[in-house]
Amino acid sequence: MRSNLSRKIIYGLIIVAILGAMIPYTDWLKGVKKNKDLGEAAIGQVDTGSFMLKLALLGGARGIAANVLWTRAEELKREHDWDRMKATIDLITKLQPHFLSVWTFQGWNLAYNVSVEWDAPEDKYDWIKKGIQFLEDGVKKNSRSPDLIWDTAWTYYHKLGFADESIILRRLFRDDDDEDFKKYIDYSDPQQPLIVGNDNFKLGFGWFSRAVALVDEGASRLQAGTRDVELVDPSPQRKGRPGDLAFRSMPAHAQTRYAAGLEKASILDIPATFGEVAKNEWAKALIEWEKFGTYTFMTPNQTKDKTGKLVDEPVQIDDIFQPKKYAEISENARYWTNRWADQMNYPYWKDRSMAEMTNEGVQARQLFYEGTIAYKKGDPELAAKKFREGLDVWELLLKEHPQYQSDKFNEKDTGLIVKRYVRSLKQLGEPEPEVFPFKALLQAAEQDTSVDPFDANEMLGPASDGSKESRTGGATAAPASAPSPK
């Protein structure tokens, strides 16, 4: 008896000692988790419902359940049972909130694959919005993932801005009164205010800038966030790596797209904007391109320095605009500077922003816009006058911007104006002038019958009475009605 009692006392003391030792160990472990950014509290928003669900499915059963639900979601997609598919996807995210492929794939699925199954733009918009909100929910639960932030930005930017019905989708976004859906952080402002925006490209700019800022803080996909993400979700995507060209260029692309969209009817029945507003937005685009161009990338190959040691060389793409600095860098660095500048079409984007932000650039765009409206409305006299005035201003401006002038995209746009100028003269019974600006572009323009799908004036013609509601009756973001799949 006495022996048993002694053993019990010894065991009890051992247990107390172990429990006592666990207290400082637990505190140390919490410190490590905080420093290495591990654990749900550091990753993002903690979903208590998800935690209880995972608790009920301890061990490997959680992964099996997620796989079964994934298969079921695909079946529901084939059956066009969209609401049940969305509910199934939501359940998967509760089981595996840090499995990034769920958020990336299913966000794309909702915004791209499901939305195209509907005919009405309002229904398409509703499912694109669901896809974006799904991605945003993923960001809340994985706040250290540049991937998900970038994917969210891309969907705002691309799916709403480049779809076949973009002029309508952008109007639906503008009219959407859901302010939470339209909030973004203005990373171009040092104070970084939270803004409610009415343009999807500005939202894209805000989210892209957020992803870049997160990477610059050290939160690369391959280095930070939840340690297990790279193990359970290996991805060939480059997004999130600090040195990736495409990743870092997107804030500049989004801002450029916004500035360009202001100067035409890129939103259904919303007239173009010129003057100081347009100049300022183009100036912001130039700032973003220079920010991209002056970022220091490292060469993928190593060269020997003066001591014979193999080293990576720093490269700044903007050096092609800095003759003195460009002449001083090594042959290898010049090779990568030129290669990456060509790959990203950097000379075009920077020179375009420099040209468009001037008084002359905005003036020419306004004259082209007014001439196009007159041309579409059957007023060749006013159209010819506006086109010629605009071409005269444009010719003088582009002499100072040869990179922009010689680019094929600019030649196509300018050629369209030249073609319409000559046709307006013919409608007036006037001969084609012997000499006029950009006459060399006329032949190619005559053979080009394409129209700009992102300009309502090109796709539908200007509103007959000049009102904002004349063709739409007031476009508003409506909830999805009965399915009407293609």
Side-chain angles (χ1 to χ4, degrees):
M1 290 289 292
R2 202 173 282 174
S3 177
N4 289 336
L5 179 61
S6 298
R7 281 199 297 270
K8 289 179 180 178
I9 292 172
I10 293 171
Y11 293 154
L13 291 173
I14 291 172
I15 292 172
V16 170
I18 292 173
L19 290 173
M22 286 181 66
I23 295 173
Y25 174 74
T26 302
D27 292 338
W28 172 82
L29 188 60
K30 287 180 180 178
V32 172
K33 289 172 68 176
K34 183 177 181 180
N35 291 335
K36 293 186 177 294
D37 199 22
L38 303 174
E40 287 204 43
I43 295 168
Q45 177 178 306
V46 178
D47 186 339
T48 55
S50 170
F51 176 76
M52 294 303 294
L53 182 61
K54 287 184 286 183
L55 199 62
L57 290 168
L58 291 171
R62 195 152 43 97
I64 294 172
N67 288 336
V68 172
L69 289 171
W70 188 290
T71 302
R72 179 57 179 156
E74 287 299 296
E75 291 174 353
L76 293 169
K77 174 184 168 184
R78 289 192 292 271
E79 295 169 5
H80 291 189
D81 194 341
W82 311 124
D83 291 327
R84 289 178 65 190
M85 185 198 78
K86 177 64 166 56
T88 304
I89 292 170
D90 289 339
L91 189 56
I92 297 172
T93 63
K94 290 188 179 297
L95 287 169
Q96 301 280 30
H98 308 309
F99 186 48
L100 295 190
S101 286
V102 175
W103 301 104
T104 300
F105 177 79
Q106 297 298 355
W108 177 279
N109 201 15
L110 293 169
Y112 282 80
N113 297 333
V114 177
S115 67
V116 299
E117 297 291 341
W118 301 76
D119 288 328
E122 293 83 1
D123 295 329
K124 291 178 186 290
Y125 176 81
D126 191 62
W127 282 98
I128 294 169
K129 182 176 179 179
K130 281 183 171 68
I132 294 173
Q133 289 175 324
F134 182 83
L135 287 166
E136 289 178 346
D137 189 35
V139 171
K140 291 176 182 177
K141 294 177 173 63
N142 300 274
S143 61
R144 300 293 293 173
S145 171
D147 289 312
L148 288 182
I149 294 172
W150 197 97
D151 288 335
T152 304
W154 179 260
T155 312
Y156 272 118
Y157 168 83
H158 183 261
K159 186 56 182 174
L160 288 172
F162 289 82
D164 293 340
E165 308 91 342
S166 65
I167 55 176
I168 301 174
L169 294 174
R170 278 168 46 75
R171 178 61 190 268
L172 292 169
F173 181 83
R174 180 189 176 95
D175 292 344
D176 195 332
D177 58 5
D178 183 355
E179 290 193 353
D180 287 337
F181 182 56
K182 300 165 74 173
K183 286 180 180 177
Y184 71 98
I185 296 174
D186 185 3
Y187 280 85
S188 64
D189 189 316
Q191 303 299 320
Q192 296 184 5
L194 186 64
I195 296 174
V196 177
N198 284 323
D199 191 286
N200 64 291
F201 292 126
K202 291 299 281 186
L203 267 291
F205 167 76
W207 281 83
F208 281 129
S209 299
R210 178 178 170 185
V212 171
L214 188 60
V215 167
D216 287 343
E217 293 167 7
S220 170
R221 165 70 181 274
L222 300 182
Q223 301 166 6
T226 171
R227 181 182 60 185
D228 294 333
V229 165
E230 193 63 24
L231 298 177
V232 301
D233 183 23
S235 172
Q237 293 173 315
R238 302 186 310 274
K239 302 186 302 291
R241 295 183 180 178
D244 183 64
L245 291 163
F247 171 81
R248 302 197 72 90
S249 71
M250 287 313 300
H253 277 294
Q255 177 60 34
T256 301
R257 190 73 187 180
Y258 174 69
L262 284 177
E263 295 181 316
K264 60 183 179 181
S266 62
I267 301 176
L268 184 64
D269 289 326
I270 301 297
T273 300
F274 299 99
E276 290 300 314
V277 173
K279 284 174 55 181
N280 289 339
E281 295 304 330
W282 276 111
K284 290 179 182 178
L286 176 61
I287 290 171
E288 293 302 320
W289 282 111
E290 289 183 335
K291 190 184 300 182
F292 168 70
T294 55
Y295 178 81
T296 301
F297 297 93
M298 303 305 293
T299 57
N301 64 324
Q302 292 185 319
T303 56
K304 291 183 179 180
D305 63 9
K306 294 179 180 179
T307 65
K309 182 181 178 181
L310 287 173
V311 295
D312 298 319
E313 291 189 88
V315 168
Q316 293 186 346
I317 298 174
D318 195 65
D319 284 352
I320 61 171
F321 283 89
Q322 315 297 329
K324 184 177 180 181
K325 185 180 177 183
Y326 181 81
E328 294 174 351
I329 62 178
S330 71
E331 183 179 349
N332 182 61
R334 282 199 296 270
Y335 168 80
W336 288 106
T337 301
N338 291 326
R339 176 171 173 172
W340 286 338
D342 290 342
Q343 179 182 333
M344 303 308 296
N345 206 11
Y346 181 74
Y348 164 79
W349 292 114
K350 181 177 180 179
D351 204 32
R352 177 180 179 181
S353 299
M354 294 171 67
E356 300 278 9
M357 66 180 281
T358 62
N359 289 326
E360 294 78 12
V362 174
Q363 180 188 7
R365 288 295 180 193
Q366 184 167 359
L367 289 167
F368 293 158
Y369 176 80
E370 293 170 352
T372 297
I373 291 177
Y375 179 83
K376 295 282 186 177
K377 288 186 173 182
D379 187 346
E381 183 176 4
L382 180 59
K385 177 176 180 295
K386 294 290 185 180
F387 286 146
R388 182 56 191 261
E389 289 177 3
L391 288 170
D392 287 338
V393 174
W394 198 236
E395 181 182 37
L396 291 175
L397 174 63
L398 292 192
K399 285 180 180 179
E400 301 175 10
H401 298 276
Q403 297 279 5
Y404 184 27
Q405 179 176 350
S406 61
D407 188 88
K408 62 180 181 180
F409 296 113
N410 176 60
E411 289 183 349
K412 176 182 172 67
D413 290 342
T414 305
L416 176 63
I417 301 301
V418 171
K419 178 173 68 174
R420 289 177 174 176
Y421 166 60
V422 171
R423 289 184 177 182
S424 296
L425 291 176
K426 288 181 179 179
Q427 290 174 12
L428 293 170
E430 297 182 12
E432 179 183 315
E434 291 270 339
V435 179
F436 60 91
F438 305 104
K439 185 175 182 179
L441 302 178
L442 180 59
Q443 183 177 357
E446 289 287 3
Q447 298 172 355
D448 185 1
T449 59
S450 62
V451 296
D452 184 354
F454 311 115
D455 188 336
N457 286 337
E458 297 294 334
M459 297 296 290
L460 304 172
S464 57
D465 62 359
S467 71
K468 293 183 180 182
E469 310 298 336
S470 61
R471 287 175 294 178
T472 64
T476 55
S481 57
S484 178
K486 290 183 177 179

